[in-house]
Amino acid sequence: TTLLVEWISNCLPRGWRTAWVSLDELDNEPERFWAYIFSACQQVNSKINFDFQPVLRADAPLSMTQLNPLINAVAQAPFRLCLVLDDCHCLESEIVQRSLAYLIDHQPRNLHLIFAGRTEAPVPVTRLLAKKQLVKITADDLAFTLPEAQLFFEKICGLEVAPGQVEALENATEGWIAGLQMAAISMQGLPDANRFIESFTGSHRFVLDYLLEEVLKGQPEEVQT
């Protein structure tokens, strides 16, 4: 999510527009799910204008062809649209997943879909990868490498951390930047960072729980935020 916000803010080509939908478990209801998407797209620009009330009818199941007004309206828009579905791991409804597959199969050339979540996107990933129609960024791609972690401690945090210590911290956090940052907060002002590093990397099996309970909660409110 953080990466996407940075990309949209700083790297999105001129003339592109963004519609963002943050999902939760309640969005497995097809009518609710598509109501949010239709609303988000319409808020981007008045050019994307259509009547989506028929889709919201509760007396009939969702028909895939009911998505055609959205597809046609986006196709006629004079700009490229990025539709971001955040926390898409919440989507477990088979109907919602099939409707997303329908949208992908009939996707206008000026529509770009971005799925962000803790699990693989609920779309035909293998087929899209085979056709080179999908860019897949995983947790391994987002993890800091050892040189990046060393640079982070030295240049961003202003800490002198030996390469072996950086490697221990990088291994313990699996390159998770939030974990590395909380470790850096813990070491600032300590007379002996070695003791913290040895303790942290040697005896704490659940890294996230430790960092939240022992590090984050002990910081001032502005640091926690």
Side-chain angles (χ1 to χ4, degrees):
T1 301
T2 304
L3 175 63
L4 283 175
V5 171
E6 289 288 333
W7 177 70
I8 290 170
S9 300
N10 301 313
C11 303
L12 201 65
R14 178 175 296 181
W16 288 38
R17 309 293 177 85
T18 304
W20 188 295
V21 181
S22 296
L23 303 167
D24 59 35
E25 288 77 7
L26 297 177
D27 295 322
N28 281 288
E29 180 183 338
E31 292 78 13
R32 176 189 175 108
F33 173 77
W34 284 106
Y36 281 135
I37 290 183
F38 291 170
S39 178
C41 290
Q42 286 188 326
Q43 289 177 20
V44 168
N45 192 279
S46 59
K47 300 276 185 190
I48 305 178
N49 187 26
F50 54 91
D51 179 19
F52 61 81
Q53 292 303 318
V55 182
L56 307 183
R57 290 172 50 196
D59 58 341
L62 177 70
S63 169
M64 299 299 109
T65 56
Q66 288 176 292
L67 305 181
N68 289 341
L70 169 66
I71 295 171
N72 294 333
V74 172
Q76 295 170 13
F79 51 80
R80 291 183 178 272
L81 174 65
C82 284
L83 173 58
V84 180
L85 300 181
D86 198 13
D87 290 335
C88 63
H89 55 270
C90 296
L91 298 179
E92 299 177 348
S93 166
E94 182 179 348
I95 297 177
V96 170
Q97 293 180 8
R98 283 197 292 110
S99 63
L100 281 173
Y102 180 87
L103 175 61
I104 291 173
D105 289 339
H106 299 82
Q107 185 174 341
R109 295 186 65 180
N110 62 329
L111 175 63
H112 304 265
L113 297 172
I114 301 176
F115 299 91
R118 300 174 187 171
T119 59
E120 197 159 89
V123 296
V125 172
T126 303
R127 174 165 60 87
L128 294 172
L129 284 172
K131 292 183 177 181
K132 297 183 178 180
Q133 295 176 332
L134 177 70
V135 174
K136 185 177 179 181
I137 302 175
T138 67
D140 289 341
D141 298 312
L142 297 175
F144 269 36
T145 63
L146 186 56
E148 288 170 340
Q150 183 83 48
L151 189 66
F152 170 74
F153 284 120
E154 292 179 356
K155 301 297 184 181
I156 305 301
C157 303
L159 294 172
E160 294 185 7
V161 185
Q165 295 175 326
V166 174
E167 184 176 6
L169 291 169
E170 201 271 343
N171 289 335
T173 60
E174 297 181 342
W176 177 45
I177 179 54
L180 291 172
Q181 187 167 19
M182 283 192 277
I185 291 173
S186 298
M187 290 186 291
Q188 287 174 346
L190 287 180
D192 184 10
N194 290 329
R195 182 175 299 178
F196 166 80
I197 294 173
E198 291 173 0
S199 173
F200 172 57
T201 58
S203 60
H204 295 287
R205 179 181 176 187
F206 301 103
V207 175
L208 174 59
D209 293 340
Y210 169 77
L211 290 173
L212 289 177
E213 293 176 8
E214 301 298 328
V215 180
L216 189 61
K217 289 183 179 180
Q219 300 303 313
E221 184 176 351
E222 63 271 15
V223 175
Q224 293 189 35
T225 302

